Amino acid sequence: MDEVRPTTGAQAHGLASIFPPGLQAIYGECRRLYPEQANPLQVTAIVKYWLGGPDPLDYISMYRNIGNQPQDIQEHWHYVSFGLSDLYGDNRVHEFTGSDGPSGFGFELTFRLKREVGETAPPTWPAELMQGLARYVFQSENTFCSGDHVSWHSPLDNSESRIQHMLLTEDPQIQPVQTPFGTVSFLQIVGVCTEELQAAQQWNGQGILELLRSVHMAGGPWLITDMRRGETIFDIDPHLQERVDQGIETEGSNLSGVSAKCVWDDLSRPPEDEEDTRSICIGAQPRRLSDKDTEQIREVLRKGLEFNTKAALPPISTQRHGHERPQSRKDSLESESSAAIVPHELVRTRQLESVHLKFNQESGTLLPLCLRGRLLHGRHFTYKSINGDTAITFVSTGVEGAFATEEHPYAAHGPWLQILLTEEFVEQMLGDLQELNTREETKLPKEYSWPEKKLKISVLPDSVFDNPLQ
């Protein structure tokens, strides 16, 4: 449970020498922005995470920002987290690896919430929202980057608001800081509507953030979240949809992969054949991916969060590739020991004659994005199952490094399936899957089949994936 308390002047001044250095560095940057608010209200975890508490963020400070009317920036509350970076440097939370790299996960979260008329104190619900995102980071060890999106599927403040998802961007005021334990940047949470999230998925997050900055009611230059906003940017300015459509047409989508509810079945052999190592069935114990495969999938997903111009899958290799900001500090999507329990024969490349793909509705609605925004631009798209090691990667004929080929378009490494689709077949599928583009709820289950290609796709209710044995 959290409590709200002000920091004391003694802490901010006389006792600074006993402050943990990482904490002091972030406080210093906040003091630069808010010199008149030495004692901001603060939400603090009663039981710290490193003592067994449930909340990874030790503190969340809340400041009153008066805005800037000439720059069209409205008054708002500014929230800053403490805990995703290394505050202490003694390995109690984060492994200390030196001052040259990122501190902890390398970033802290911020949030800007419009101040309502008559509001004298900041609402505290954003603190729990930030704790929720921090729990995801700590549990998955996946970091966030500017332009990322978060599908939340619920009003951020648990009201009836249309603001139910998030984008992430650099905080416009707080500068990255250098601490004794590494560098810390500040990523701002931006609340968005479902239609804006979908546009970010179909095009790219940075493009939608720029559109949001151009609309005062949707956040303005500093992307201030207004939970009472009832219109999307496309309702406010219909011409913005044309800009998104043009961006998709000319640039495609920068989203290379998503976590999803999905499975695939190999229809090449009867399911009762116990020797068939190619079938990944709902309700069956999922086979594990090797470190080689998981590293490649993780790289594909990481590249989906960036602006990638080269349409190539990274080669399967046991060597880790260095990146400035790795998405994960793990060696694989599962445990480091996963390779030890994967027999070599399970990860050989296997050509399949016929496959059946199964997605839940949310994942299924991304199929047109996968085809139109990725494959028609010579790129790839990966679905990574949240319920196991299953992964499905769609690749175009222009993608290098794929183990699926035009001669053998369906190929697998263990539970990782690659599907190569020609441009002609992609166009055909887009026509057949057109109803998935609508925002209306689709009656499930839905089945699509291309017998001549020996491919079948089913869009199924969530219950099929959540309760596989029912």
Side-chain angles (χ1 to χ4, degrees):
M1 182 147 182
D2 296 332
E3 63 177 353
V4 179
R5 63 175 179 82
T7 55
T8 67
Q11 285 177 323
H13 297 285
L15 298 182
S17 61
I18 65 172
F19 257 29
L23 186 67
Q24 185 175 338
I26 300 174
Y27 268 140
E29 176 62 12
C30 292
R31 286 293 308 279
R32 180 188 69 80
L33 285 182
Y34 301 105
E36 305 302 321
Q37 299 183 56
N39 307 317
L41 282 175
Q42 195 173 71
V43 175
T44 179
I46 296 177
V47 180
K48 298 295 186 284
Y49 193 68
W50 37 274
L51 293 176
D55 298 321
L57 302 176
D58 282 5
Y59 312 101
I60 296 156
S61 289
M62 302 177 287
Y63 297 91
R64 182 170 177 171
N65 192 305
I66 63 173
N68 188 316
Q69 286 189 349
Q71 296 183 27
D72 197 29
I73 297 167
Q74 55 195 328
E75 190 171 352
H76 60 278
W77 304 107
H78 193 192
Y79 301 76
V80 183
S81 77
F82 296 79
L84 284 162
S85 63
D86 191 350
L87 305 178
Y88 306 99
D90 57 7
N91 296 316
R92 72 178 71 179
V93 179
H94 301 279
E95 181 183 356
F96 175 55
T97 57
S99 60
D100 295 335
S103 170
F105 287 105
F107 70 98
E108 293 289 352
L109 293 170
T110 74
F111 183 59
R112 295 176 186 267
L113 177 67
K114 179 184 176 182
R115 177 178 172 268
E116 301 297 340
V117 176
E119 215 168 39
T120 58
T124 58
W125 64 260
E128 181 53 37
L129 181 73
M130 297 166 85
Q131 291 284 16
L133 291 177
R135 290 186 200 103
Y136 164 78
V137 173
F138 272 82
Q139 291 167 9
S140 68
E141 297 193 349
N142 293 329
T143 62
F144 291 125
C145 299
S146 179
D148 284 359
H149 68 268
V150 179
S151 303
W152 199 250
H153 299 290
S154 178
L156 304 188
D157 60 352
N158 294 316
S159 67
E160 299 298 320
S161 175
R162 291 187 69 179
I163 308 300
Q164 302 188 8
H165 308 281
M166 292 165 273
L167 298 179
L168 290 155
T169 187
E170 295 94 349
D171 190 283
Q173 282 189 298
I174 305 184
Q175 299 298 313
V177 297
Q178 179 67 46
T179 80
F181 316 130
T183 57
V184 183
S185 60
F186 295 86
L187 287 178
Q188 179 178 316
I189 300 165
V190 182
V192 296
C193 303
T194 298
E195 293 84 353
E196 294 155 357
L197 171 81
Q198 292 171 342
Q201 292 174 327
Q202 293 166 6
W203 184 24
N204 62 70
Q206 297 290 3
I208 300 304
L209 287 165
E210 283 302 312
L211 297 184
L212 289 165
R213 289 187 181 97
S214 70
V215 180
H216 172 78
M217 293 175 58
W222 287 5
L223 294 171
I224 298 163
T225 297
D226 179 2
M227 293 304 297
R228 295 189 179 184
R229 174 162 68 96
E231 294 180 304
T232 72
I233 57 173
F234 309 113
D235 297 326
I236 298 168
D237 185 352
H239 295 293
L240 296 182
Q241 184 62 57
E242 298 176 8
R243 293 178 60 181
V244 173
D245 293 340
Q246 183 180 8
I248 296 172
E249 187 68 27
T250 59
E251 304 167 19
S253 171
N254 283 335
L255 182 67
S256 285
V258 294
S259 297
K261 292 182 178 180
C262 63
V263 292
W264 63 269
D265 291 336
D266 173 17
L267 302 182
S268 307
R269 292 185 181 181
E272 63 271 11
D273 185 351
E274 295 182 357
E275 297 301 318
D276 180 13
T277 63
R278 296 175 286 184
S279 180
I280 308 298
C281 301
I282 298 176
Q285 180 64 31
R287 303 186 185 276
R288 286 188 173 273
L289 293 172
S290 71
D291 280 348
K292 296 178 182 180
D293 294 337
T294 53
E295 175 64 19
Q296 185 176 355
I297 293 177
R298 185 165 57 80
E299 182 71 358
V300 170
L301 293 174
R302 189 190 69 82
K303 285 181 177 293
L305 306 177
E306 300 175 353
F307 290 91
N308 49 352
T309 56
K310 184 177 181 181
L313 288 168
I316 297 176
S317 171
T318 57
Q319 300 298 316
R320 293 289 306 275
H321 299 284
H323 305 291
E324 289 182 357
R325 289 198 56 193
Q327 185 187 4
S328 173
R329 300 187 301 180
K330 293 180 179 179
D331 286 337
S332 72
L333 289 166
E334 293 293 330
S335 67
E336 295 181 2
S337 61
S338 62
I341 62 174
V342 181
H344 175 74
E345 63 269 14
L346 287 183
V347 294
R348 73 185 188 278
T349 300
R350 294 170 286 107
Q351 285 78 40
L352 315 181
E353 295 180 7
S354 178
V355 293
H356 182 189
L357 313 182
K358 302 174 184 179
F359 302 96
N360 74 332
Q361 182 162 16
E362 182 179 3
S363 302
T365 58
L366 291 176
L367 284 169
L369 154 67
C370 161
L371 299 172
R372 181 167 69 117
R374 297 295 300 176
L375 268 67
L376 284 184
H377 291 266
R379 300 173 183 171
H380 51 81
F381 190 89
T382 294
Y383 289 92
K384 171 66 180 69
S385 172
I386 63 174
N387 294 328
D389 275 344
T390 303
I392 301 168
T393 297
F394 292 89
V395 298
S396 67
T397 53
V399 173
E400 301 173 0
F403 47 81
T405 65
E406 289 192 58
E407 184 180 1
H408 300 287
Y410 312 131
H413 272 299
W416 182 17
L417 175 69
Q418 281 190 10
I419 298 179
L420 187 145
L421 302 177
T422 63
E423 182 175 342
E424 180 182 3
F425 188 26
V426 168
E427 294 283 7
Q428 179 185 348
M429 292 179 67
L430 279 171
D432 296 337
L433 299 173
Q434 188 172 3
E435 63 181 331
L436 295 179
N437 276 317
T438 65
R439 294 174 182 172
E440 300 178 1
E441 289 289 321
T442 302
K443 186 176 180 180
L444 302 180
K446 297 292 294 185
E447 291 195 354
Y448 307 90
S449 181
W450 299 268
E452 73 282 3
K453 298 292 186 180
K454 300 183 178 179
L455 175 64
K456 181 178 179 181
I457 294 178
S458 296
V459 182
L460 306 170
D462 277 8
S463 58
V464 175
F465 301 87
D466 298 335
N467 304 290
L469 298 182
Q470 292 184 1

